[in-house]
Amino acid sequence: MSNLLHLSEHTLQEVALVLMATVYYLRIRWFLKWPLGKERQPATGLGDTNPKKGERYSLGLIAKPWAMESTRSKPFMYAQFVVFHLGVVASITLSFIIPYGPGLLTSSMFVSVIQVLVGAACIVGVMRIIRRISNPYIRAISSPDDHFSLILLTSWFAFAFLAAPNDISGGEGIMLTYFLLTAFFLMYVPFSKISHYLYYPFTRTYLGRHFGRRGVFPIRRKPAYQVSK
Amino acid sequence: MSSTKNERSYKAQKVIDRMGQKLTRQMVGSLTACVHCGMCTDSCHYVLANPGDPTFAPAYKADRIRRLFKRHYDWTGKVFPKWVKAGSVFTDEELQELKDIVFGKCTNCRRCTVNCPMGVDLATFNRMARGLLCYVGIMPEGVEYVAKEQWEIGNQMGVLKEDYVETIEWQEEELQSEMEDPTAKIPIDKPDSNIVYVINPREIKHDPRSILDAAKIFYAAGEDYTMPSEGWDMTNFGLFNGDDELGGAVAGRVYDKVDELRGKKLVISECGHGYRSTRCEDTSKRER
């Protein structure tokens, strides 16, 4: 292994992680400085829910595609979401396994699992790029950051797929590109929309608390007269 | 006063400054978390009614407000404005365009909110944007008219006190005739009543039969009630136009009159938003 590859697998990743953590810390601190809005409406609803129940329901919606009309009516979009995000997890995991636990990659089964996950995510990424360009509604709301983030992640998946066997016998180009992309990804994420997961727990919790207080969440699927008080 | 692109108009500057005072953490979360996935698009009835026009998409409408937030209150938009589609307003014409979106292309129904995977609550910051525009006097003409009437006369249809009292007296005569009881009354400003009954100005101005119908119910029930001579408008355009001060003033007048008459209960006539606004817009924190 060359010094350059070693540097990009270790020091560069560590610096990128520290930078990402620092910016995330500043971001959260900035976010929490905004005053929490107060509820003006008295608690309403049938009494079978409350803000806490609303919060739990709201946070759990990510795993309940049947609960929201938008995901219920577009199961293929939901499946894409799952595959894409599993790919992100697999690719991040790979970036730690290669430098710190390469023994795991001697298992061809393990390598195959990683490759299936990031490969499928890469295909979804390509589909999403096409959708973002071809769908007039999505094109109208897209910013340069939206396009770039998607292209960046899709490319990263492709190189993760190629890097997963951890084989540099044919040259270090693929590994080097994968780790440079990973470092760039880590440093770019806090400045881009990719950092949406940072706000997700907050937005879903606040919304769930609000709708729980109003008796909206959890959304009930039976007539009000059948709901126990 | 309008202005050029190089110089921000007085109203545009006021809108930007006011935004910083009105933003809450919930709104900032919603303004920051959108990933432009487009899952909200089909949930909007405006989109369904205007197929092929992406400017009706909830995320597109939200971005008209979001761009201001990003440009002035989020450092990503301050440093890389074009990269994240951040932007500002400079002229009154641009504020008029924003008015057409926040008042004319969104009803704050929240269907997009309950269908957003990220929990982005467009309605909350859309209402905030309405309030910002109202703050500088930019709102739809009809809304401006009724809001002015509520501020200045005390009810949204500008009904004068003498006309109101005269209409109630006319309905009282109708009640006596229909009930064949010359002692039947629609009391006005009767202190210590069990119920204080407030109404929608539409009933006075356009169709007082609903006042008579309510009076018949009170009569049949033998209820001890009164109608107030002031503070009787339970509709509230402050709720609609995002003007929290107006919302507080209108709801506050109703409760002030209940307190003055020492009424035990407040009953309001039919009005979907009137029920909510009367319960929620009063900012005096009094017990009720």
Side-chain angles (χ1 to χ4, degrees):
Chain A
M1 182 192 292
S2 68
N3 286 339
L4 181 61
L5 183 56
H6 185 270
L7 180 81
S8 57
E9 280 188 18
H10 290 84
T11 312
L12 186 61
Q13 301 306 312
E14 287 151 15
V15 169
L17 278 167
V18 169
L19 184 76
M20 184 179 79
T22 306
V23 180
Y24 273 169
Y25 167 74
L26 294 172
R27 238 9 218 167
I28 291 289
R29 204 176 71 155
W30 166 81
F31 178 68
L32 293 177
K33 276 188 179 172
W34 291 97
L36 204 55
K38 293 185 177 66
E39 288 286 353
R40 295 193 301 175
Q41 176 163 316
T44 50
L46 291 173
D48 62 328
T49 186
N50 56 48
K52 280 285 168 205
K53 278 189 185 175
E55 283 176 21
R56 284 197 295 273
Y57 176 81
S58 179
L59 285 164
L61 279 175
I62 193 170
K64 290 187 274 191
W66 60 88
M68 282 198 302
E69 187 185 11
S70 56
T71 45
R72 187 169 61 241
S73 60
K74 298 187 187 78
F76 188 56
M77 286 296 294
Y78 182 79
Q80 285 184 34
F81 151 78
V82 173
V83 169
F84 195 79
H85 286 82
L86 284 177
V88 172
V89 172
S91 190
I92 289 172
T93 306
L94 182 67
S95 73
F96 283 95
I97 289 174
I98 291 175
Y100 303 113
L104 286 170
L105 298 171
T106 55
S107 160
S108 59
M109 177 67 86
F110 187 79
V111 170
S112 297
V113 169
I114 295 281
Q115 284 188 314
V116 166
L117 289 172
V118 295
C122 185
I123 292 167
V124 169
V126 171
M127 289 163 66
R128 288 188 163 198
I129 290 169
I130 293 168
R131 176 174 177 258
R132 198 162 278 283
I133 294 167
S134 62
N135 183 317
Y137 289 96
I138 307 300
R139 193 169 59 236
I141 58 177
S142 296
S143 65
D145 174 42
D146 293 327
H147 292 292
F148 182 75
S149 296
L150 197 47
I151 292 168
L152 173 66
L153 275 165
T154 306
S155 312
W156 185 52
F157 290 143
F159 279 95
F161 181 88
L162 298 171
N166 195 21
D167 180 6
I168 54 172
S169 59
E172 293 182 345
I174 286 169
M175 298 296 277
L176 205 53
T177 308
Y178 171 63
F179 277 103
L180 289 175
L181 271 177
T182 305
F184 180 74
F185 168 72
L186 292 173
M187 288 188 280
Y188 179 69
V189 164
F191 302 96
S192 78
K193 73 152 189 180
I194 307 173
S195 61
H196 61 281
Y197 59 85
L198 197 65
Y199 306 102
Y200 179 87
F202 294 104
T203 51
R204 288 244 64 106
T205 300
Y206 294 147
L207 189 70
R209 189 181 300 167
H210 178 66
F211 277 162
R213 183 182 163 82
R214 289 186 172 199
V216 178
F217 277 179
I219 292 176
R220 54 185 70 83
R221 300 283 171 208
K222 54 187 175 184
Y225 65 85
Q226 289 181 1
V227 177
S228 58
K229 299 282 189 257
Chain B
M1 183 185 81
S2 293
S3 186
T4 65
K5 279 277 179 187
N6 300 321
E7 182 191 345
R8 189 171 281 118
S9 75
Y10 174 78
K11 287 182 177 179
Q13 188 59 50
K14 293 285 275 185
V15 163
I16 291 162
D17 294 343
R18 179 83 164 167
M19 182 183 247
Q21 298 161 13
K22 301 299 278 185
L23 285 168
T24 65
R25 199 183 304 160
Q26 289 94 326
M27 289 182 206
V28 171
S30 288
L31 286 162
T32 316
C34 179
V35 290
H36 294 147
C37 67
M39 292 295 277
C40 55
T41 305
D42 293 342
S43 67
C44 179
H45 50 86
Y46 278 102
V47 171
L48 301 178
N50 298 277
D53 186 348
T55 65
F56 285 98
Y60 184 91
K61 292 179 280 193
D63 275 0
R64 301 308 97 194
I65 305 164
R66 187 173 283 121
R67 64 197 294 272
L68 295 178
F69 164 77
K70 285 187 171 176
R71 186 69 186 89
H72 296 282
Y73 295 100
D74 182 350
W75 57 268
T76 57
K78 288 180 184 174
V79 181
F80 318 107
K82 286 185 179 164
W83 193 248
V84 295
K85 271 195 171 177
S88 190
V89 281
F90 291 91
T91 66
D92 292 358
E93 289 71 29
E94 288 172 322
L95 294 179
Q96 290 287 343
E97 288 169 16
L98 186 60
K99 176 202 78 178
D100 290 342
I101 292 168
V102 301
F103 280 99
K105 289 188 171 182
C106 177
T107 58
N108 287 352
C109 74
R110 276 184 161 166
R111 273 181 59 79
C112 57
T113 301
V114 296
N115 280 292
C116 173
M118 285 296 297
V120 169
D121 190 1
L122 164 60
T124 303
F125 62 84
N126 191 67
R127 183 177 182 277
M128 183 258 313
R130 289 182 181 184
L132 299 180
L133 293 173
C134 286
Y135 185 64
V136 294
I138 293 180
M139 61 192 111
E141 192 180 350
V143 176
E144 185 175 5
Y145 177 75
V146 291
K148 186 168 177 285
E149 297 284 46
Q150 280 205 312
W151 269 126
E152 295 179 356
I153 299 180
N155 65 81
Q156 57 143 304
M157 291 192 179
V159 177
L160 299 175
K161 187 175 179 180
E162 50 266 41
D163 293 332
Y164 170 81
V165 170
E166 196 173 279
T167 305
I168 301 290
E169 288 171 349
W170 166 37
Q171 294 309 304
E172 185 179 82
E173 289 169 14
E174 294 289 320
L175 177 71
Q176 290 167 353
S177 170
E178 288 201 23
M179 296 295 109
E180 297 177 348
D181 179 358
T183 66
K185 293 281 181 199
I186 302 181
I188 297 176
D189 286 345
K190 180 170 158 289
D192 300 310
S193 300
N194 189 41
I195 287 173
V196 176
Y197 182 59
V198 295
I199 58 172
N200 184 323
R202 161 180 51 79
E203 299 176 70
I204 285 287
K205 189 144 184 172
H206 298 301
D207 194 354
R209 286 176 301 178
S210 59
I211 300 171
L212 174 62
D213 291 339
K216 284 196 270 189
I217 293 170
F218 286 132
Y219 176 85
E223 189 56 75
D224 173 25
Y225 79 105
T226 188
M227 294 183 74
S229 61
E230 289 171 330
W232 51 267
D233 179 5
M234 55 72 178
T235 66
N236 196 324
F237 270 76
L239 175 74
F240 178 69
N241 70 5
D243 181 350
D244 293 334
E245 284 76 17
L246 174 61
V250 173
R253 282 178 203 146
V254 172
Y255 287 108
D256 285 346
K257 199 65 185 176
V258 174
D259 291 344
E260 182 191 318
L261 294 172
R262 299 184 298 277
K264 295 180 183 64
K265 290 178 193 164
L266 174 66
V267 173
I268 67 175
S269 67
E270 186 281 323
C271 181
H273 87 267
Y275 171 74
R276 189 213 172 273
S277 61
T278 306
R279 287 192 80 184
C280 308
E281 295 301 312
D282 177 35
T283 50
S284 65
K285 309 287 180 205
R286 71 190 97 195
E287 287 289 320
R288 47 178 196 261

